[in-house]
Amino acid sequence: MIVYIFAFMDRMNIGFAMAGGMNESLGITASTAGMAAGIFFFGYLFLQIPGGHIAENGWGKKFIAISILIWGGLSALTGLVTEAWHLLVLRFFLGIAEGGVWPVILVIISKWFPSEERARANAFFIMNINIAIMITGPISGWIIQDYGWRNVFFIEGIVSVLLILLWWPLIDDSPEKAKWISPAERDYIISRLKEEQVSIKSDDAPVSYKQLFANSNFWKLTLFYFAFQVGDYGFMLWLPTILKELTKTGMTMVGFLSAVPFLAAMAGLYLIASRSDKTGKRRIYTALPAICFAVAFVLSVHTKETIWLSFTFLVICGFFHNAYNGVFWAMPPMLFPSEVCGGARGFINGIGNLGGFVGPFLVGWVITTFGSTDIAIYVLSGFLLAAFFLAMSLPANKIDAAKEVVSKDKQIVRS
């Protein structure tokens, strides 16, 4: 969580640097600034599959260690840029450096938690995004205000490099490599994971990347993640604008109000994941946040005349906007064996995150073309609705655990 919080900060602090004088210092236009922010996601694609594959083969700890040193160094170097093209190059390579981190960490988590615990484990990790969103603004704003925009890159980049001192001594790729774990717990985790792999392989699951890319469930997961990310990133980026139009207040109040949905998101992440682990139901608890998010988003438009009610629906949007994540990332290990699962995670994450480029762009285009934030919200809700149907089309017999199996596993853990 700590490592990814700083990765996310180094990814997002450019927005505050732009507002804090970087554009004027470098003489770059708004379109160039937008390109500098968005080019990260194209670099982000490169190491998704390799990172996941490397982690599945037991090298995730070393991969992240190298990534930490490179992305921290690149972030610090961004403080030295003097030309627009310097910024574009560094942001592209920052995307490459951070690209494998997400799938690698998910693989490490999957090697430490059996399926009946995995959604909650994923949820705790993914909470880092909401924490990062809430702390990046105050920290980056304070650094820029007191020390200038260049120092936000220097300071946060150097701190990221120092994360190696936390990562290297405290992380193990799997229970087999950990010296601190008890033999009983090690044996339990290893045996449960072996049972999972046997169950998957006996079900004609893809065991090569050629078979993976011909698998319909793989593409359903990819398209679901992309569609949800379009709605999610569009919501996150334009939430301040929506709140400003709704409340007619200043940016200070908008800033405080915008934090409330992300506090709700942390609760949504854990509660949905916990419920999914308890019942063994993966499909419905992946699909449910999509439809609830879409409905609440539309209702926030239709209740604008009553500010407190509209804001309540936006908070509900926040509760569900990330709630699917812990459950969603528990599904690939249930559908794909370890030979291809790491790469599958990487591809899904890489393509899905292109929704982070499409969503904000789409909202901006709709507002420019039609002059209406409401229509943009309807469009984003349409993507969320598509995500719901994609999730419901997944095979329940492969991703939903039987209740008696879940209960048996809990009895084993207690004993």
Side-chain angles (χ1 to χ4, degrees):
M1 284 182 69
I2 294 172
V3 165
Y4 207 84
I5 283 171
F6 279 92
F8 200 86
M9 288 179 68
D10 286 337
R11 180 188 312 181
M12 301 301 291
N13 57 16
I14 187 173
F16 294 91
M18 288 174 179
M22 184 179 71
N23 290 2
E24 291 80 5
S25 296
L26 301 181
I28 60 179
T29 64
S31 60
T32 303
M35 186 183 300
I39 200 171
F40 170 93
F41 289 101
F42 291 96
Y44 194 70
L45 291 171
F46 279 74
L47 292 180
Q48 293 289 326
I49 294 178
H53 187 78
I54 288 169
E56 285 287 5
N57 287 281
W59 296 85
K61 177 179 178 177
K62 292 181 179 179
F63 185 96
I64 297 287
I66 295 170
S67 297
I68 288 171
L69 297 176
I70 295 175
W71 102 56
L74 289 170
S75 182
L77 284 175
T78 306
L80 299 175
V81 298
T82 57
E83 302 286 344
W85 70 268
H86 296 165
L87 182 63
L88 293 172
V89 169
L90 286 173
R91 288 288 298 178
F92 177 76
F93 281 104
L94 180 67
I96 294 178
E98 288 192 19
V101 175
W102 181 273
V104 169
I105 292 181
L106 288 175
V107 169
I108 292 175
I109 289 173
S110 73
K111 291 180 179 295
W112 276 97
F113 297 91
S115 61
E116 66 273 9
E117 302 172 4
R118 198 171 291 142
R120 282 168 292 166
N122 288 340
F124 274 119
F125 163 62
I126 295 166
M127 282 181 190
N128 73 71
I129 295 175
N130 299 291
I131 296 171
I133 289 171
M134 288 188 286
I135 68 174
T136 295
I139 292 175
S140 299
W142 168 68
I143 293 172
I144 291 170
Q145 181 174 310
D146 287 5
Y147 303 103
W149 67 267
R150 291 186 184 275
N151 279 298
V152 77
F153 296 111
F154 292 144
I155 294 171
E156 293 179 5
I158 291 171
V159 171
S160 292
V161 170
L162 294 177
L163 289 175
I164 193 70
L165 302 176
L166 179 72
W167 176 265
W168 192 255
L170 297 181
I171 290 292
D172 292 293
D173 284 295
S174 63
E176 293 94 330
K177 297 182 180 181
K179 297 179 180 179
W180 54 267
I181 193 173
S182 69
E185 188 173 4
R186 178 187 296 114
D187 292 343
Y188 168 73
I189 297 173
I190 293 172
S191 65
R192 283 292 295 113
L193 296 180
K194 285 182 178 178
E195 289 173 12
E196 288 179 23
Q197 287 300 306
V198 170
S199 173
I200 294 169
K201 290 181 179 179
S202 65
D203 202 22
D204 297 325
V207 294
S208 69
Y209 284 107
K210 181 179 180 180
Q211 292 176 346
L212 177 70
F213 282 96
N215 185 278
S216 62
N217 291 325
F218 170 71
W219 287 106
K220 288 176 183 178
L221 290 174
T222 302
L223 292 173
F224 168 88
Y225 198 59
F226 174 82
F228 208 116
Q229 293 292 82
V230 170
D232 192 18
Y233 271 94
F235 168 74
M236 288 192 292
L237 182 69
W238 290 96
L239 179 62
T241 301
I242 294 169
L243 287 173
K244 194 170 190 307
E245 290 183 2
L246 176 66
T247 62
K248 304 295 190 295
T249 57
M251 287 305 297
T252 300
M253 180 57 69
V254 167
F256 281 112
L257 291 174
S258 65
V260 179
F262 295 111
L263 286 172
M266 296 176 69
L269 249 174
Y270 179 77
L271 291 174
I272 294 295
S274 180
R275 186 63 186 166
S276 176
D277 276 348
K278 184 177 180 179
T279 62
K281 303 298 183 183
R282 298 303 190 204
R283 185 178 66 169
I284 188 62
Y285 286 107
T286 299
L288 187 64
I291 192 68
C292 292
F293 186 0
V295 171
F297 215 2
V298 171
L299 289 175
S300 72
V301 172
H302 287 279
T303 56
K304 285 196 298 184
E305 299 302 319
T306 308
I307 294 175
W308 67 267
L309 184 57
S310 182
F311 179 68
T312 299
F313 283 121
L314 288 174
V315 174
I316 294 173
C317 288
F319 181 90
F320 287 107
H321 95 100
N322 211 12
Y324 73 98
N325 242 331
V327 185
F328 175 81
W329 288 112
M331 289 194 293
M334 303 177 76
L335 291 169
F336 314 122
S338 59
E339 289 90 342
V340 297
C341 192
R345 286 190 188 93
F347 184 87
I348 293 166
N349 186 54
I351 298 300
N353 270 280
L354 288 180
F357 177 81
V358 174
F361 173 81
L362 193 59
V363 171
W365 178 82
V366 170
I367 292 175
T368 301
T369 304
F370 300 100
S372 172
T373 305
D374 294 357
I375 295 176
I377 290 174
Y378 293 142
V379 172
L380 294 179
S381 298
F383 276 91
L384 293 169
L385 187 62
F388 168 78
F389 287 114
L390 283 164
M392 290 304 295
S393 71
L394 290 166
N397 63 314
K398 293 184 179 181
I399 58 178
D400 288 349
K403 289 185 179 180
E404 57 268 22
V405 173
V406 176
S407 300
K408 180 181 177 182
D409 289 334
K410 287 185 176 179
Q411 291 171 5
I412 294 171
V413 172
R414 290 193 194 101
S415 62

